[in-house]
Amino acid sequence: MPKFYDITEWNEKPWFQTGGTRSKVIVENPSTGDDYYFKSSLKKEKIDYKYEFWSEIIASKVGTLLGFDMLRYDIAYNRGEIGCLSKSMVTEGKNKLTEGISYLTGYNTNYNPKDKSSKKLYTFDFIRKTLEHFQFSHYIRNIIEIIILDSIIGNGDRHQENWGIITDYKEVIKTFKDIPKSKFKSSLRKILKLIFVKFKVERVEKEQFNKEINLKMLGKFSPIYDSGSSLGREFDDGKVKQMLTDNLMIEAYIRKGVSEIHWEGNKLNHIDLIEKIKLLYPDIVRDIISKVEKKYSKEKIEKCVFDIDKKLPSELEQFKLPKYRKEFIIKLITLRVENLLNIKTEQ
């Protein structure tokens, strides 16, 4: 069950920039000095996803129940605004989160995710090759886990900034002035081998080679975070009530849901994407689905969703999640898990 925090008196850090499409601020807990991220739901001129922060919290709790490594999200109230709160995954000066976008653009400098024509290039294979390039092939399981979690919650926005790798690092600045261009790469490799032994990070500066090279030790894949674009958060109350009484409509909605991670330039239904990945990594896919099956309990999911707003104070009653929307979310998760478990039986 998520906790409730009133963070009105917490110290806001407006000088830190944050990514994403929702209102997000960094605040410091005055009692501990720890940094937290507060996010409210997406609201624009013609869009009001007022329950989106609940989707983030529910996705975190349900994912944890099913055995996924999830970032914890709690409920927070901040100067008249309700949202979700998560503790920073990193500690300043000790480690850092490098988001997927940095690795992808580092591997292919021509890749520009802000260019709409490049969106189809954001494929599973592109991610796989990027991880291989940076010697992070062992993290392909984490990517597959994210895709399977997204199939359960119906997340269609797992973009390049919604996954990453946490690494410890130190920095040493070194300048190479006298290495001929023809021998620069081979010389760099030798230097980097020494860096690995000394557990340091090298920054190389040579003529038009002005990029910071971060060779980071003791890395780990981040917990799964930013999963709020899920669980039908885009539907208004009328649509939710209608879908609750129309099985064909809700099943069609699930079938039409696609992953942001493409396959050979195309967006696929979550289950179809997992089927494709299974051809490459059958043991990993079956193992993850088997673990979901062992952890899954409809009763536990129901309790999790129905109790999600129990800690909300009575004076904030208007922000509670309506009962019919909870029932809708439970139905979505149940149907999606059933679809996922059908993959396991296919050989």
Side-chain angles (χ1 to χ4, degrees):
M1 186 185 303
K3 296 179 180 179
F4 171 80
Y5 294 89
D6 185 339
I7 63 171
T8 303
E9 301 301 323
W10 288 22
N11 307 316
E12 192 169 318
K13 295 185 171 182
W15 52 90
F16 284 125
Q17 296 295 317
T18 62
T21 57
R22 284 184 283 163
S23 175
K24 184 191 297 185
V25 295
I26 298 178
V27 292
E28 180 185 2
N29 185 334
S31 300
T32 64
D34 294 325
D35 287 340
Y36 285 76
Y37 288 80
F38 170 77
K39 291 190 296 184
S40 56
S41 297
L42 177 63
K43 185 173 183 179
K44 294 183 178 181
E45 185 178 351
K46 296 182 179 180
I47 296 175
D48 185 2
Y49 297 157
K50 63 180 180 178
Y51 299 116
E52 187 174 38
F53 79 93
W54 284 121
S55 292
E56 189 80 76
I57 295 171
I58 293 172
S60 171
K61 303 308 176 189
V62 168
T64 301
L65 276 177
L66 296 177
F68 294 93
D69 182 18
M70 307 293 299
L71 181 64
R72 180 187 176 98
Y73 286 89
D74 290 297
I75 313 163
Y77 179 76
N78 185 30
R79 298 177 178 88
E81 195 170 30
I82 196 80
C84 56
L85 187 73
S86 59
K87 186 177 179 181
S88 175
M89 292 179 277
V90 298
T91 303
E92 187 177 355
K94 179 181 178 182
N95 53 15
K96 68 176 292 186
L97 171 70
T98 303
E99 296 169 333
I101 187 173
S102 297
Y103 292 108
L104 294 170
T105 54
Y107 171 60
N108 181 357
T109 55
N110 294 319
Y111 175 61
N112 179 14
K114 292 183 179 180
D115 181 357
K116 290 185 178 180
S117 63
S118 293
K119 284 194 172 183
K120 64 174 66 173
L121 301 178
Y122 181 52
T123 66
F124 178 81
D125 191 56
F126 182 27
I127 295 173
R128 179 182 63 82
K129 288 178 178 177
T130 297
L131 292 176
E132 287 177 357
H133 176 77
F134 288 100
Q135 300 183 357
F136 285 145
S137 293
H138 52 293
Y139 291 139
I140 195 65
R141 180 185 176 98
N142 298 87
I143 296 295
I144 297 173
E145 285 179 343
I146 288 175
I147 291 171
I148 289 177
L149 182 275
D150 285 346
S151 78
I152 294 171
I153 61 175
N155 181 17
D157 192 33
R158 187 63 64 187
H159 55 72
Q160 302 90 342
E161 296 174 12
N162 279 356
W163 57 272
I165 297 170
I166 298 173
T167 46
D168 297 339
Y169 63 95
K170 294 180 182 178
E171 290 190 3
V172 173
I173 298 176
K174 195 156 184 121
T175 303
F176 300 88
K177 293 182 178 178
D178 303 316
I179 303 175
K181 286 183 180 180
S182 60
K183 296 183 179 180
F184 184 68
K185 287 186 178 180
S186 61
S187 300
L188 180 59
R189 290 192 191 99
K190 293 178 183 178
I191 295 295
L192 296 183
K193 286 181 181 179
L194 294 175
I195 294 171
F196 271 109
V197 173
K198 296 178 181 179
F199 292 93
K200 293 180 179 179
V201 173
E202 188 80 2
R203 184 159 73 186
V204 181
E205 297 177 4
K206 178 177 176 62
E207 259 182 85
Q208 298 172 346
F209 196 90
N210 232 349
K211 296 179 181 179
E212 185 178 3
I213 299 176
N214 292 319
L215 298 180
K216 304 187 178 70
M217 319 304 161
L218 307 175
K220 67 174 183 177
F221 204 88
S222 69
I224 301 175
Y225 62 93
D226 280 0
S227 302
S229 299
S230 61
L231 301 172
R233 63 74 160 100
E234 70 273 23
F235 293 134
D236 60 28
D237 294 342
K239 189 74 170 181
V240 167
K241 291 176 181 178
Q242 183 182 6
M243 294 181 77
L244 261 180
T245 60
D246 191 329
N247 289 333
L248 292 178
M249 185 180 288
I250 198 170
E251 287 169 4
Y253 168 66
I254 291 173
R255 284 196 304 271
K256 290 178 181 177
V258 293
S259 171
E260 181 63 25
I261 298 174
H262 294 55
W263 182 268
E264 296 181 352
N266 299 308
K267 280 191 174 185
L268 300 182
N269 173 283
H270 293 92
I271 297 300
D272 291 341
L273 177 59
I274 296 169
E275 292 276 17
K276 295 287 188 182
I277 295 171
K278 184 184 173 186
L279 298 176
L280 299 177
Y281 300 96
D283 293 338
I284 292 178
V285 170
R286 289 197 189 101
D287 182 57
I288 296 170
I289 295 176
S290 293
K291 289 182 177 179
V292 170
E293 185 176 29
K294 290 177 182 176
K295 295 275 188 179
Y296 175 68
S297 163
K298 186 177 179 181
E299 291 73 23
K300 288 183 179 179
I301 297 296
E302 288 176 344
K303 180 171 176 53
C304 172
V305 176
F306 279 123
D307 289 351
I308 204 72
D309 51 9
K310 272 198 169 181
K311 295 290 185 179
L312 203 62
S314 57
E315 61 269 22
L316 300 177
E317 189 87 13
Q318 70 271 25
F319 295 114
K320 282 199 169 187
L321 201 58
K323 183 174 182 290
Y324 55 83
R325 189 170 283 268
K326 292 179 181 178
E327 292 172 348
F328 173 68
I329 288 172
I330 291 167
K331 193 168 186 178
L332 278 180
I333 294 172
T334 302
L335 291 172
R336 287 185 173 279
V337 169
E338 289 175 357
N339 290 341
L340 177 67
L341 297 185
N342 286 335
I343 294 178
K344 178 175 172 285
T345 60
E346 299 173 6
Q347 299 298 323

